[in-house]
Amino acid sequence: MTFGEQPAYLRVAGDLRQKIVDGLLPPHTRLPSQARIREEYGVSDTVALEARKVLMAEGLVEGRSGSGTYVRERPAPRSIARSGYRPAGGATPFRQEQADASGRGTWESSSEQTEASGAIAERLGIRLGDRVMCTKYLFRDNGEPMMLSTSWEPLAVTGRTPVMLPEEGPLGGMGVVERMAAIDVVVDNVTEEVGARPGLAEELLALGGVPGHVVLVVQRTFYASGRPVETADVVIPADRYRVAYHLPVK
């Protein structure tokens, strides 16, 4: 077996990874034991252990108490549609972010007033400590957790109006554009920055992931005449979903 100049544990992990990708180690198959890896690759126990840790950190395998380490099933990634998509007859934010309008999407949410942190104050163009409405969402697709979102809206804009609570009142559950229009705030621009990072423990717990899994983070901000009126962090498990942008051509 010919390897490059990588550290031994990465070379072993890379070969095992390729076997998983090629189907030679299919889902639910037990990963070779540490002793078997040591013998097959001619490496030390330490190298064999570190190689297994790499595969576990990548989410390719999972440990089962008292049983061993097994190859995880990896479903084909599905798409989450973003900016510019508006399904006919649907106005909820979740429907706007799903390419398949027939999907059975549901969500849970909770809102509370709080003070803007430094990062959120900068994104909203307000002062540190100014009051904002913070709303947290857990979105599900056919019952499966698929996306988290936390949004912040300056109460200087929405306070004491019918749309102060995003999920309550006459426009509860509508999109930011529709809700702001109801209080004569015309949203004319939206920006989204997409990044990736290891998921936080509480995020992975809510989304059904395992420690070490990577999440996509979409940082979104709506503007009205240059003024930010809402900003949000959308968190998506990267192993199960892809972010697909549907943008109108002008």
Side-chain angles (χ1 to χ4, degrees):
M1 187 178 298
T2 302
F3 290 119
E5 296 302 320
Q6 291 179 311
Y9 76 96
L10 289 181
R11 297 198 298 266
V12 173
D15 190 64
L16 291 170
R17 183 191 303 115
Q18 194 61 49
K19 289 180 178 179
I20 293 173
V21 171
D22 291 343
L24 298 177
L25 289 172
H28 309 297
T29 299
R30 186 171 181 175
L31 193 71
S33 67
Q34 187 169 316
R36 176 75 178 274
I37 292 174
R38 182 190 65 213
E39 294 172 4
E40 181 176 346
Y41 294 94
V43 296
S44 67
D45 281 329
T46 300
V47 169
L49 177 60
E50 290 302 313
R52 289 161 62 91
K53 286 182 178 179
V54 168
L55 297 177
M56 189 166 291
E58 292 176 351
L60 294 174
V61 300
E62 61 184 354
R64 298 180 186 175
S65 180
S67 179
T69 304
Y70 291 79
V71 177
R72 295 183 68 247
E73 187 166 2
R74 303 180 69 201
R78 288 172 283 173
S79 293
I80 295 179
R82 297 296 302 169
S83 302
Y85 181 76
R86 295 283 176 134
T92 68
F94 193 30
R95 288 292 188 218
Q96 293 168 14
E97 292 169 346
Q98 284 186 303
D100 181 4
S102 66
R104 290 180 296 168
T106 59
W107 67 90
E108 307 158 16
S109 67
S110 62
S111 297
E112 66 174 348
Q113 295 188 35
T114 186
E115 296 181 353
S117 66
I120 297 305
E122 182 176 358
R123 285 164 59 173
L124 288 174
I126 59 180
R127 294 173 299 181
L128 174 66
D130 279 0
R131 302 294 290 177
V132 295
M133 183 64 70
C134 176
T135 304
K136 297 183 178 182
Y137 296 87
L138 169 60
F139 296 96
R140 300 179 186 273
D141 180 24
N142 295 326
E144 176 187 297
M146 63 173 292
M147 182 168 62
L148 299 173
S149 178
T150 304
S151 69
W152 298 267
E153 296 178 350
L155 287 174
V157 175
T158 62
R160 300 181 182 276
T161 74
V163 301
M164 185 174 71
L165 292 169
E167 295 295 319
E168 296 182 21
L171 293 179
M174 300 293 283
V176 174
V177 175
E178 292 84 352
R179 291 176 48 249
M180 293 297 168
I183 57 173
D184 298 322
V185 175
V186 179
V187 173
D188 53 19
N189 190 26
V190 58
T191 64
E192 293 197 348
E193 298 180 9
V194 182
R197 59 167 171 76
L200 303 179
E202 56 268 28
E203 294 170 341
L204 296 175
L205 179 63
L207 292 169
V210 298
H213 269 193
V214 172
V215 295
L216 300 174
V217 181
V218 181
Q219 181 178 299
R220 178 195 70 202
T221 305
F222 282 98
Y223 296 86
S225 300
R227 178 185 185 183
V229 295
E230 190 256 20
T231 193
D233 286 335
V234 181
V235 178
I236 303 165
D239 64 326
R240 284 183 276 148
Y241 293 94
R242 298 290 182 267
V243 178
Y245 282 85
H246 298 253
L247 304 175
V249 177
K250 296 183 179 180

